[in-house]
């Protein structure tokens, strides 16, 4: 409820700024982007090459999401800079979810690495644009192994104990309750999960490379594509 109130308040502010009397869907979309990612950085000037890399990166995410059945539907793809992001792909779930399965996680990880895979396929190398994706993917993969019991190799065992809330409610430290050998196995399992997800993303994008190119070229021109497009 508070999130919806915040969204509509932002929409009302934008409506007044635009000199309109009714909050439109287009204004709510802009309000959503502002709430999620921050205001557009229209003053930022980027080169055509960087714009192309950003477009292929975001379409890589979107296309993998569209092709995998357990990833939420793509709502919007944008290469307009907001906050610290050069572009973004927004998914919108069609259901409330509190539980995640192993297969859902695996497909989500492939989606999250879709930008990394697209850069590699199109440009032959990757950029720093995937750093947040890699951090997020690694964190989820580690939780799958150490918290959720989703590793066939290590089984349904919690590996590592939280010491409780840290300073000002931040995560506390973790007490290692396993051996150095188990730590090595955890690292190997995490790496296997991440690399499998990357292989899935690369395989899908290579199979649909023509689509990757067509959608990316369209995004470079339009800067925003709605999910249906």
């Amino acid at each position: 409820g508070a999130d919806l109130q915040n969204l509509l308040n932002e929409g009302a502010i934008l409506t007044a700024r635009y000199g309109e009397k009714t909050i439109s869907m287009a204004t709510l979309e802009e309000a959503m982007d502002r709430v999620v990612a921050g205001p557009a950085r229209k003053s930022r000037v980027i080169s055509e090459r960087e714009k192309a890399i950003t477009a292929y990166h975001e379409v890589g995410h979107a296309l993998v999401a569209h092709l995998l059945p357990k990833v939420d539907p793509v709502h919007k793809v944008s290469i307009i800079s907001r906050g610290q992001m050069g572009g973004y792909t927004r998914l919108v779930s069609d259901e409330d979810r509190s539980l995640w399965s192993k297969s859902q996680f695996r497909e989500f990880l492939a989606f999250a690495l879709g930008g990394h895979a697209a850069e590699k396929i199109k440009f032959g190398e990757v950029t720093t644009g995937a750093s947040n994706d890699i951090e997020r993917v690694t964190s989820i993969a580690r939780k799958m192994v150490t918290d959720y019991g989703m590793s066939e190799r290590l089984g349904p065992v919690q590996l590592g104990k939280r010491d409780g809330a840290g300073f000002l409610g931040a995560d506390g430290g973790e007490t290692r309750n396993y051996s150095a050998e188990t730590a090595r196995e955890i690292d190997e399992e995490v790496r296997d999960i991440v690399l499998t997800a990357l292989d899935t993303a690369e395989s899908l994008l290579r199979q649909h490379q023509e689509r990757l190119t067509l959608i990316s070229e369209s995004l470079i021109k339009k800067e925003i594509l709605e999910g249906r497009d």
Side-chain angles (χ1 to χ4, degrees):
D3 289 337
L4 289 173
Q5 184 178 19
N6 187 26
L7 175 64
L8 285 166
N9 282 342
E10 186 69 35
I13 291 168
L14 290 172
T15 298
R17 188 175 297 164
Y18 298 157
E20 298 172 356
K21 295 182 178 180
T22 306
I23 303 175
S24 67
M25 196 63 218
T27 303
L28 277 181
E29 280 288 338
E30 173 62 22
M32 175 72 84
D33 289 340
R34 282 170 169 257
V35 169
V36 171
R41 294 166 58 195
K42 295 180 180 178
S43 61
R44 186 185 176 211
V45 178
I46 63 172
S47 67
E48 289 302 312
R49 176 172 172 75
E50 190 169 325
K51 188 175 183 180
I53 291 172
T54 304
Y56 274 87
H57 181 104
E58 296 306 331
V59 172
H61 285 307
L63 193 49
V64 172
H66 180 71
L67 293 167
L68 290 174
K70 294 184 179 179
V71 181
D72 291 331
V74 179
H75 183 70
K76 176 187 280 189
V77 187
S78 170
I79 55 171
I80 295 175
S81 299
R82 290 180 180 273
Q84 298 301 310
M85 297 186 294
Y88 65 95
T89 299
R90 177 142 57 91
L91 307 179
V92 174
S93 176
D94 51 10
E95 63 179 3
D96 289 332
R97 180 185 299 117
S98 57
L99 297 174
W100 282 71
S101 68
K102 182 178 179 179
S103 58
Q104 283 176 313
F105 271 134
R106 286 190 175 277
E107 291 196 2
F108 181 84
L109 295 182
F111 149 72
L113 289 169
H116 182 90
E119 287 185 23
K120 185 177 175 183
I121 289 168
K122 173 62 180 177
F123 302 101
E125 61 179 356
V126 296
T127 70
T128 56
S131 61
N132 287 340
D133 299 330
I134 292 169
E135 181 181 358
R136 189 180 185 190
V137 163
T138 305
S139 175
I140 292 172
R142 185 165 291 274
K143 284 181 178 293
M144 289 173 67
V145 174
T146 62
D147 293 355
Y148 307 143
M150 293 179 175
S151 165
E152 297 291 336
R153 181 175 174 183
L154 293 163
V157 180
Q158 186 184 43
L159 298 163
K161 288 182 181 178
R162 284 284 172 193
D163 291 338
F167 182 61
L168 293 179
D171 286 342
E174 183 177 270
T175 301
R176 179 179 288 188
N177 60 350
Y178 47 83
S179 66
E181 175 64 21
T182 300
R184 184 182 62 78
E185 291 183 339
I186 290 170
D187 288 342
E188 289 176 355
E189 277 287 86
V190 169
R191 186 174 290 107
D192 285 346
I193 289 170
V194 171
L195 291 179
T196 298
L198 181 59
D199 285 345
T200 298
E202 281 193 30
S203 177
L204 285 171
L205 293 178
R206 289 190 188 280
Q207 290 174 42
H208 299 274
Q209 197 161 348
E210 185 177 348
R211 288 183 180 184
L212 175 65
T213 301
L214 287 171
I215 301 169
S216 297
E217 292 302 319
S218 178
L219 182 59
I220 290 169
K221 293 176 184 175
K222 298 181 180 180
E223 296 190 327
I224 293 176
L225 290 176
E226 301 295 336
R228 185 177 297 177
D229 296 329

